[in-house]
Amino acid sequence: MFTGNQRGLNDYYANGFGMGLHYKSKNWHGLHIGVGGFFKFNTFSNNLKNSRYELDLFDIEDPENHHDLDRLEELYLAYYTKHFTAKVGRFSLQTPYINLQDGRMRPAIQEGLHL
């Protein structure tokens, strides 16, 4: 990612690499569990402390963190029937209002109950 600003303002660049692993159990009487995680590496970047977009690729709370960029993304219990669906925990969600493809290294994760 690269942001080229007009003269007098800083330019920012960042490059990252990531990989994820996800497990979803077999359905048992309508129930299943899911767990997944992701790690990413800041392969190279300039000082992103004041960057608006590039910092979102990595750790916005600790801009100097370039190595410990892993997180548990999903841990949920789900129940499915022909007429009802419920999911509780931490999970990714695709709806008309939530788009998983938001341009960052990883999509946003939701926590709570989805019916």
Side-chain angles (χ1 to χ4, degrees), residues 13-60:
Y13 61 87
N15 185 288
F17 169 78
M19 183 178 277
L21 183 63
H22 179 82
Y23 172 78
K24 179 179 168 183
S25 72
K26 192 173 183 178
N27 198 352
W28 181 73
H29 299 286
L31 289 170
H32 78 266
I33 61 169
V35 62
F38 197 83
F39 68 89
K40 52 192 170 182
F41 296 103
N42 181 340
T43 52
F44 62 85
S45 66
N46 62 347
N47 183 358
L48 301 177
K49 191 179 250 185
N50 296 318
S51 166
R52 180 174 176 184
Y53 301 108
E54 287 78 5
L55 187 56
D56 282 347
L57 295 174
F58 307 113
D59 188 349
I60 61 174

Side-chain angles (χ1 to χ4, degrees), residues 40-101:
K40 52 192 170 182
F41 296 103
N42 181 340
T43 52
F44 62 85
S45 66
N46 62 347
N47 183 358
L48 301 177
K49 191 179 250 185
N50 296 318
S51 166
R52 180 174 176 184
Y53 301 108
E54 287 78 5
L55 187 56
D56 282 347
L57 295 174
F58 307 113
D59 188 349
I60 61 174
E61 294 179 355
D62 185 6
E64 302 302 318
N65 181 7
H66 292 201
H67 304 291
D68 185 23
L69 298 167
D70 51 4
R71 73 176 185 182
L72 178 67
E73 291 195 342
E74 295 186 313
L75 180 58
Y76 64 85
L77 174 66
Y79 178 71
Y80 294 104
T81 67
K82 188 175 180 180
H83 302 288
F84 180 76
T85 301
K87 192 181 274 190
V88 63
R90 182 178 174 104
F91 47 86
S92 58
L93 191 60
Q94 177 73 35
T95 74
Y97 301 108
I98 300 173
N99 184 359
L100 293 177
Q101 300 189 10

